[in-house]
């Protein structure tokens, strides 16, 4: 009996089996209608698979952007810390570093979850702004806010890309199921109209090595 498709098999396995099935039907007299009935589901799965593949790439790209902008944000925080340190070394008066970085180190900011870091950096920027627009370190706040906003937008884009990927993958699974069912219907219809022996020739083996593959070389 022909091997039918299973739900634990990949989209590529589905497409390959159906492509071969349609080709064999095209070579068999009287099997042409089977191609017409399964080809729409075959093309739909190709489309859904291509869409899902694209969504995976877009999610990967979005994550790359998040990681890159998070590194930029970390560097902006380090710069602010170093500038505060330098200011305190070069100027008399109350230390600025203790006001802007109460914990005395920047790592308490750069080590937080990247999803939360933009909000933490916004608070850092507010502390810098509290120095007054006449203070030489006041301008650091704008750079921090800009980096935090860019990072936040990238994170939002990543979550959207993840949602779109899951949606596309679900659509691919539905299309895969439709093709799998039509493949089985084709088998039953072929048995009914063409007979068992002819039908078995129209459905390729899905496992095992074809007889013509990797033949044993002749002995000299």
């Amino acid at each position: 009996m022909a091997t039918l498709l299973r739900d634990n098999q990949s989209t590529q396995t589905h497409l390959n089996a159906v492509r071969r099935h349609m080709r064999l039907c095209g070579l068999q007299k009287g099997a042409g209608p089977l191609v017409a009935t399964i080809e729409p589901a075959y093309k739909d799965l190709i489309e859904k698979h291509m869409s899902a593949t694209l969504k995976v790439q877009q999610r990967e790209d979005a994550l790359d952007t998040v990681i890159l902008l998070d590194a930029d944000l970390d560097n902006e925080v380090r710069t602010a810390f170093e500038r505060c340190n330098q200011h305190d070394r070069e100027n008399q008066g109350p230390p600025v570093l203790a006001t802007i970085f109460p914990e005395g180190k920047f790592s308490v900011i750069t080590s937080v979850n990247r999803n939360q870091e933009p909000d933490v950096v916004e608070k850092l920027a507010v502390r810098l702004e509290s120095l007054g627009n006449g203070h030489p370190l006041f301008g650091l706040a704008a750079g921090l806010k800009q980096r935090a906003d860019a990072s936040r937008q990238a994170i939002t884009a990543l979550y959207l890309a993840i949602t779109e990927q899951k949606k596309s993958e679900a659509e691919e699974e539905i299309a895969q199921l439709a093709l799998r069912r039509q493949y089985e219907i084709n088998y039953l219809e072929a048995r009914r109209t063409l007979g068992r022996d002819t039908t078995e020739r129209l459905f390729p083996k899905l496992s095992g090595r074809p007889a013509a593959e990797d033949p044993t070389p002749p002995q000299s």
Side-chain angles (χ1 to χ4, degrees), residues 23-41:
R23 178 180 175 277
L24 292 170
C25 288
L27 298 174
Q28 176 64 48
K29 182 179 179 180
L34 296 174
V35 177
T37 58
I38 201 169
E39 191 170 25

Side-chain angles (χ1 to χ4, degrees), residues 112-125:
V112 301
N113 185 289
R114 67 165 64 101
N115 294 347
Q116 301 170 351
E117 187 173 346
D119 293 337
V120 177
V121 173
E122 287 279 359
K123 295 178 181 178
L124 172 62

Side-chain angles (χ1 to χ4, degrees), residues 142-164:
L144 288 164
K145 285 187 172 182
Q146 182 181 4
R147 294 292 189 187
D149 186 56
S151 183
R152 188 180 293 111
Q153 289 183 31
I155 291 167
T156 299
L158 173 60
Y159 279 113
L160 178 59
I162 292 172
T163 299
E164 290 297 314

Side-chain angles (χ1 to χ4, degrees), residues 92-110:
Q92 299 294 325
V96 171
L97 186 67
T99 300
I100 308 304
F101 292 88
E103 297 85 356
K105 51 187 178 180
F106 63 81
S107 60
V108 295
I109 297 176
T110 58

Side-chain angles (χ1 to χ4, degrees), residues 16 40 48 59-60 69 79 87 99 112 119 123 126 134-135 140 148 158 162-163 173 182 185 191 196 206 215:
N16 187 55
K48 296 300 190 299
R59 188 263 303 162
E60 291 172 343
L69 293 182
T79 296
H87 179 273
T99 300
V112 301
D119 293 337
K123 295 178 181 178
V126 169
H135 196 281
L140 293 173
L158 173 60
I162 292 172
T163 299
E173 288 180 5
Q182 187 59 53
I185 291 171
R191 285 287 296 265
R196 177 176 180 179
L206 303 184

